């Protein structure tokens, strides 16, 4: 990977300093051919040491830091040259893009079509002062130096493509296992700093070692009150909130986010995690208490996507600053009974990430609430998977379309997947209502009703069968408020009388009780009250 790195800075930098930590291939020869000055330092499980050796041999006023698996994006030279002329800044953050494939083109990575997640900001262009140094054996940083110099930093309009995040590369290099071991050591060496505990908790979380992640996050969290103000709890608070979310401890997750916000101000990650906790807490309540929490969640989500001047913000929860927050805001608005407002947010989220499942499900639900059953069904088909959300909405859509066989089939699919959990818990109430509406109907009654509503001749075994008045009333109660009264018309026609004597009369009586007006005109639908 080194040749690509060195080629990317050709003509951009005045010198290249490379520190070799024990390569056994042609690394040094390649570097020398590209004009680099090469220095040796045996690897001793300390990432800061070789970086500091490189700084000691650099001669320029500014240092651009790149790893061998990174490339400076083309077109960045002008921004770099402008930056080094500034006297009011000591550090510039560049956008780092994790490539999804080693062979992905620069354009594919920068556009997002071959990128993992969203770009992150990393401190890579530094003013070289006598006291500039990296600290920390892993996830090393220059934060102490930056604080001493007044935290004068800015974001640069320049990009870095990172190939080392590709799973095959990361696995081959054993990065996670190595990082965990080094971070455990750093926690022992820096027992009073929250920084290594935050990194370690996040590494353990990403490795699915949830109990260990919880233990480390709690150890670090107990140190928070004793930390200097410049030492951010961002990573630690996100890691703790994530493990608490998995454990279902919503109040503690909310407290974690709010404590960070009180200490360091609102950032996208913590703002999103706070709002999400409040939304989930609302689902455990009912009536006015639920609505109050949902309205609080709406305000919290809107605060995240509102105007905030945080150009150096680092976002760990993908989409927290944009599409994910909009998707969850839309879902919250659905739970508040505001489908039109929800649809606007959900479509905005899908505009950013078209395959966003949360937003697609929410959009289908909003369409259902607004009576666009065909539109909802078109969205839901590809979403039928391992969770019950899409199956529940598909059952509702089929019921509203009068396709009761399909509704029952989707209802079974939803019930079989309940243990996987809903992406949006408010849909559990919708599923329960569907169960009451559909599952209580006998198979024969449902089959007969479906045939009559579709003006089909039912099988002989069903002719003359009785349809329970309670069953018919529930059907009417389902379809009238949903604006589907026209689906009831066949039940009032002579064809229904021929198959099921007395049915039209019973249906008229039920509609009258419900306040609907039956107009005796060809194909006239009952008018809902």
């Amino acid at each position: 990977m080194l040749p690509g790195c060195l080629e990317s800075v050709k003509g951009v930098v005045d010198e290249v300093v490379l520190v070799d930590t024990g390569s056994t291939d042609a690394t040094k020869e390649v570097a020398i051919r590209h004009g680099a000055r090469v220095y040796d330092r045996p690897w001793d499980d300390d990432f800061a040491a070789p970086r500091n050796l490189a700084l000691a041999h650099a001669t320029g006023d500014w240092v651009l830091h790149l790893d061998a698996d990174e490339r400076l994006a083309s077109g960045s030279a002008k921004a770099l040259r402008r930056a080094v002329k500034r006297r009011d800044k000591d550090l510039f953050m560049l956008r780092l893009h994790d490539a999804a494939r080693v062979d992905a083109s620069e354009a594919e990575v920068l556009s997002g079509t071959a990128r993992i997640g969203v770009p992150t900001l990393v401190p890579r262009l530094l003013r070289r002062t006598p006291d500039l140094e990296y600290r920390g054996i892993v996830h090393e940083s220059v934060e102490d130096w930056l604080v001493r110099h007044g935290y004068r930093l800015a974001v640069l309009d320049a990009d870095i493509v990172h190939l080392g995040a590709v799973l095959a590369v990361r696995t081959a290099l054993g990065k996670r296992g190595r990082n965990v071991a080094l971070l455990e050591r750093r926690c022992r060496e820096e027992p009073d700093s929250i920084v290594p505990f935050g990194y370690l908790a996040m590494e353990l979380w990403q490795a699915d070692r949830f109990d260990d992640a919880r233990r480390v996050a709690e150890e670090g969290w107990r140190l928070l009150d004793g930390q200097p103000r410049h030492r951010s709890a961002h990573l630690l608070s996100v890691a703790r909130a994530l493990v608490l979310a998995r454990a279902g401890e919503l109040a503690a997750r909310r407290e974690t986010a709010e404590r960070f916000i009180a200490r360091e101000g609102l950032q996208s990650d913590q703002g999103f995690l706070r709002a999400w906790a409040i939304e989930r807490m609302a689902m455990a309540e009912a009536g006015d208490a639920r609505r109050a929490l949902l309205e609080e969640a709406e305000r919290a989500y809107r605060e995240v996507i509102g105007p905030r001047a945080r150009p150096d913000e680092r976002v760990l929860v993908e989409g927290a600053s944009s599409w994910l927050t909009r998707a969850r805001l839309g879902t919250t608005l659905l739970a508040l009974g505001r489908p039109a407002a929800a649809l606007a947010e959900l479509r905005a989220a899908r505009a950013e990430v078209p395959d966003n499942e949360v937003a697609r499900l929410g959009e289908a639900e909003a369409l259902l609430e607004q009576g666009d059953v065909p539109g909802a069904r078109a969205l839901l088909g590809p979403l039928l998977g391992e969770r019950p959300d899409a199956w529940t909405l598909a059952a509702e859509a089929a019921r509203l379309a009068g396709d009761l066989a399909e509704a029952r089939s989707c209802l079974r699919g939803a019930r079989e997947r309940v243990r996987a959990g809903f992406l949006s818990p408010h849909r559990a109430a919708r599923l329960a209502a569907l169960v009451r509406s559909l599952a209580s109907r006998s198979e024969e009654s449902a089959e007969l009703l479906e045939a009559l509503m579709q003006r089909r001749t039912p099988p002989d075994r069903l002719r003359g069968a009785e349809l329970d008045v309670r069953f018919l009333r529930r059907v009417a109660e389902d379809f009238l408020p949903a604006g589907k009264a026209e689906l009831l018309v066949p039940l009032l026609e002579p064809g229904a009388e021929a198959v099921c004597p007395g049915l039209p009369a019973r249906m008229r009586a039920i509609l009258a009780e419900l306040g609907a007006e039956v107009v005796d005109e060809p194909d006239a639908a009952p008018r809902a009250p």
Side-chain angles (χ1 to χ4, degrees):
M1 294 189 181
L2 181 60
C5 175
L6 297 175
E7 284 292 335
S8 73
V9 296
K10 188 175 181 179
V12 179
V13 300
D14 300 314
E15 65 177 356
V16 176
V17 177
L18 183 143
V19 174
D20 187 271
T21 56
S23 66
T24 57
D25 54 15
T27 294
K28 289 191 283 188
E29 290 78 2
V30 169
I32 292 170
R33 282 201 305 272
H34 282 79
R37 300 200 311 276
V38 178
Y39 300 90
D40 291 296
R41 189 188 189 285
W43 174 247
D44 60 354
D45 292 336
D46 185 343
F47 281 96
R51 299 208 190 284
N52 289 330
L53 180 60
L55 289 176
H57 289 283
T59 62
D61 294 329
W62 288 81
V63 174
L64 174 66
H65 160 200
L66 291 178
D67 288 332
D69 60 1
E70 297 173 344
R71 285 100 176 84
L72 181 68
S74 57
S76 299
K78 288 184 179 179
L80 289 171
R81 293 193 184 101
R82 286 195 301 268
V84 299
K85 293 178 182 178
R86 293 181 62 170
R87 297 184 177 182
D88 62 330
K89 303 298 178 187
D90 297 310
L91 183 149
F92 288 91
M93 312 282 284
L94 279 69
R95 294 181 294 267
L96 183 77
H97 304 252
D98 288 328
R101 305 190 320 271
V102 174
D103 62 348
S105 69
E106 178 184 293
E108 288 178 308
V109 178
L110 297 183
S111 69
T113 58
R115 183 177 62 213
I116 301 171
V118 296
T120 57
L121 294 173
V122 291
R124 294 303 183 84
L125 184 63
L126 308 94
R127 186 186 300 278
R128 193 176 68 86
T129 63
D131 62 336
L132 174 62
E133 68 171 342
Y134 285 88
R135 292 185 177 177
I137 60 173
V138 62
H139 291 297
E140 65 285 359
S141 77
V142 295
E143 185 175 39
D144 291 342
W145 166 82
L146 186 61
V147 171
R148 288 197 302 272
H149 286 262
Y151 227 84
R152 304 194 311 165
L153 80 164
V155 176
L156 191 63
D157 186 18
D159 300 278
I160 297 170
V161 174
H162 178 220
L163 302 179
V166 177
L167 180 60
V169 175
R170 191 172 177 87
T171 301
L173 297 177
K175 284 187 174 182
R176 176 146 294 142
R178 176 202 65 193
N179 285 355
V180 167
L182 289 176
L183 285 166
E184 288 174 339
R185 174 183 151 193
R186 187 175 173 187
C187 286
R188 293 192 296 271
E189 293 177 353
E190 303 176 39
D192 298 325
S193 172
I194 60 174
V195 173
F197 288 93
Y199 277 116
L200 179 55
M202 188 60 75
E203 286 279 359
L204 293 168
W205 163 263
Q206 292 170 343
D208 295 339
R209 294 173 56 182
F210 303 118
D211 291 341
D212 290 334
R214 173 72 180 268
R215 172 182 53 77
V216 171
E218 295 301 337
E219 286 182 40
W221 200 245
R222 287 192 288 270
L223 301 172
L224 187 58
D225 287 337
Q227 301 301 299
R229 297 298 299 176
H230 71 266
R231 187 172 291 160
S232 178
H234 182 194
L235 191 63
L236 178 64
S237 66
V238 170
R240 185 173 191 255
L242 290 174
V243 296
L244 289 170
R246 188 175 187 277
E249 298 181 35
L250 301 177
R253 183 174 76 181
R254 177 180 180 176
E255 179 272 333
T256 300
E258 290 180 340
R259 188 176 176 189
F260 173 90
I261 292 168
R263 183 180 190 268
E264 301 183 31
L266 180 65
Q267 292 193 26
S268 295
D269 285 331
Q270 288 78 10
F272 168 78
L273 290 166
R274 174 183 63 176
W276 189 24
I278 297 170
E279 179 195 348
R280 295 296 296 267
M281 290 168 69
M283 294 302 103
E285 302 293 339
D288 292 342
R290 171 179 284 199
R291 186 167 191 87
L293 282 171
L294 285 171
E295 290 173 346
E296 186 178 358
E298 178 193 355
R299 292 191 295 271
Y301 281 130
R302 291 194 184 281
E303 192 175 1
V304 176
I305 57 177
R308 290 180 293 115
R310 294 300 298 262
D312 61 333
E313 180 179 57
R314 182 184 182 190
V315 180
L316 298 173
V317 179
E318 184 179 353
S321 62
S322 53
W323 61 266
L324 182 57
T325 293
R326 289 194 180 279
R328 295 255 45 113
L329 170 59
T331 304
T332 299
L333 291 169
L334 282 172
L336 283 167
R338 293 159 58 190
L343 196 57
E345 296 297 342
L346 293 161
R347 284 179 169 165
R350 284 196 66 199
E352 294 186 54
V353 183
D355 292 334
N356 173 4
E357 185 179 9
V358 174
R360 292 179 72 186
L361 285 166
E363 184 174 347
E365 186 172 4
L367 292 175
L368 277 179
E369 294 294 333
Q370 293 185 311
D372 185 359
V373 175
R377 296 184 86 175
L379 279 173
L380 288 168
L383 298 176
L384 296 172
E386 296 303 314
R387 287 183 179 268
D389 300 71
W391 293 93
T392 299
L393 297 175
E396 175 77 347
R399 182 187 68 81
L400 291 174
D403 190 346
L404 299 183
E406 177 69 12
R408 291 195 304 275
S409 175
C410 290
L411 179 62
R412 284 194 297 271
R415 297 179 76 175
E416 289 168 359
R417 291 164 175 80
V418 165
R419 294 187 67 180
F422 283 91
L423 279 173
S424 296
H426 75 275
R427 295 192 183 110
R430 187 184 286 272
L431 176 59
L434 279 167
V435 169
R436 290 192 297 271
S437 174
L438 294 171
S440 62
R441 303 171 181 175
S442 73
E443 293 290 326
E444 285 193 353
S445 295
E447 187 180 354
L448 175 59
L449 183 70
E450 185 175 348
L452 292 172
M453 291 175 69
Q454 296 178 6
R455 295 187 175 94
R456 289 189 288 104
T457 301
D460 289 341
R461 59 185 171 80
L462 297 179
R463 298 184 72 85
E466 286 288 330
L467 288 173
D468 182 81
V469 172
R470 287 175 299 179
F471 174 34
L472 291 172
R473 184 182 181 91
R474 184 169 293 141
V475 171
E477 289 172 340
D478 282 347
F479 287 104
L480 285 175
K484 296 292 182 179
E486 70 276 4
L487 294 174
L488 300 175
V489 170
L491 304 181
L492 305 172
E493 296 174 345
E497 176 71 27
V499 174
C500 192
L503 173 59
R506 289 197 299 275
M507 202 66 210
R508 283 175 177 270
I510 290 169
L511 291 170
E513 290 174 11
L514 295 174
E517 179 185 357
V518 178
V519 180
D520 288 318
E521 297 176 2
D523 296 324
R527 295 174 184 171

